[in-house]
Amino acid sequence: LGAVMVWGMQTEQDAQRIQSLGAKASNIHLVGNLKADAPAAQTSAVQTSRLKEALGLTSGAPLWIAGSTHPGEEATVLSAYRQVCMDGHRLHLMLAPRHPERVGAVERAIRKVGLVPKRRSAAAIGLWETDEVMILDTIGELAQAYALAEIVFVGGSLIPHGGQNLLEPAQAAKPILAGPHLQNFQSIADLLQKTDGMRVVTDSVTMAAQVRRWLKDTSERESVGRRAQEAMATQAGSTEKAVELLGRVLGTDLAGD
């Protein structure tokens, strides 16, 4: 490890780990998470309106998006959704599987609970009926769709996968639900929990309970989303730090160039 001139680490814990493996302390620098500098999805009011119309979201019912889900997670989300709807809440659900090739399996999971699957890619979607669940089977629309959601669940977290990207819904100021397995985004997850910008759920019962609470309390729901967005804003600047470190190694001012 002595051949590496600069170690740009995300967190203090990462820095301690690489030092314990033999990296020189003087070569270790805290940079932060580069993903925090990724620009938030820029969706104009016109684009948002068009997407809303394209999805058939004209009934005024709130939208819950379960993004980047993995095998087994859709069943939990669907169970929670049924519990919420049985209590009389009006709510639309969109499932966005992490891997598009799983759309068929997701359709079967939806039918298994007595609901009707509806693919985003369908030529004519029409109105979104109350017994239908939308499957986002297109590429590149999830971040834009988050702008339409009132509640977001981030997948890969109810199973030991490590979680998926928490930053996009946080940047969109959406209240976030996630499972306990968040090690792939641990520093971001820790920050969101510390600032009360997300809630961790473990099963369909705890998930349904939190969704109900947010549906009833618009003020709390919006404040959680706002805190998530504000937390992400504090993480900006990682790219500049990384470029500055590279400039030292190359002996030039890359930031100035």
Side-chain angles (χ1 to χ4, degrees):
L1 300 183
V4 179
M5 300 175 67
V6 168
W7 297 91
M9 311 306 293
Q10 279 194 36
T11 67
E12 183 65 45
Q13 185 180 46
D14 296 325
Q16 292 172 359
R17 285 174 174 169
I18 200 65
Q19 186 175 353
S20 71
L21 290 173
K24 295 179 181 178
S26 58
N27 291 349
I28 300 172
H29 304 268
L30 286 180
V31 173
N33 191 330
L34 294 175
K35 287 190 176 183
D37 280 342
Q42 299 298 316
T43 305
S44 68
V46 173
Q47 290 174 315
T48 300
S49 178
R50 286 176 179 170
L51 180 58
K52 186 174 183 178
E53 184 177 352
L55 294 175
L57 284 169
T58 57
S59 68
L63 174 62
W64 174 17
I65 295 180
S68 301
T69 54
H70 287 247
E73 292 185 314
E74 292 91 5
T76 300
V77 173
L78 287 164
S79 176
Y81 177 66
R82 289 298 301 269
Q83 293 174 52
V84 172
C85 291
M86 286 174 65
D87 289 341
H89 292 284
R90 294 175 66 247
L91 179 67
H92 287 308
L93 174 63
M94 175 185 286
L95 297 176
R98 179 69 179 85
H99 302 105
E101 62 270 21
R102 294 190 54 250
V103 168
V106 176
E107 285 181 322
R108 290 191 291 274
I110 294 170
R111 292 192 183 99
K112 189 174 181 179
V113 297
L115 296 171
V116 180
K118 193 173 189 176
R119 294 194 184 200
R120 162 69 177 106
S121 62
I125 291 178
L127 293 178
W128 193 332
E129 304 295 342
T130 55
D131 64 342
E132 294 177 324
V133 174
M134 182 76 70
I135 303 174
L136 190 65
D137 60 339
T138 55
I139 302 297
E141 282 194 315
L142 182 56
Q144 289 185 340
Y146 280 149
L148 302 175
E150 273 72 34
I151 299 171
V152 171
F153 166 75
V154 177
S157 58
L158 285 173
I159 59 172
H161 174 78
Q164 296 294 157
N165 193 349
L166 297 163
L167 282 84
E168 287 181 342
Q171 288 175 328
K174 303 302 175 180
I176 300 169
L177 296 174
H181 303 285
L182 295 165
Q183 59 269 28
N184 292 344
F185 291 85
Q186 195 63 60
S187 61
I188 297 299
D190 290 344
L191 176 62
L192 288 173
Q193 290 182 74
K194 180 180 178 180
T195 56
D196 195 26
M198 69 174 289
R199 299 284 191 277
V200 173
V201 294
T202 55
D203 52 29
S204 65
V205 175
T206 55
M207 186 180 292
Q210 188 58 64
V211 170
R212 285 192 203 97
R213 177 169 177 170
W214 280 343
L215 290 176
K216 292 178 181 178
D217 193 337
T218 302
S219 178
E220 179 186 344
R221 186 177 76 219
E222 292 178 348
S223 65
V224 171
R226 187 166 55 251
R227 286 192 292 270
Q229 186 181 56
E230 291 169 352
M232 290 304 96
T234 67
Q235 301 303 293
S238 297
T239 304
E240 185 177 347
K241 292 177 184 177
V243 169
E244 193 273 332
L245 284 174
L246 289 171
R248 288 190 210 174
V249 174
L250 298 174
T252 185
D253 182 6
L254 293 177
D257 296 340

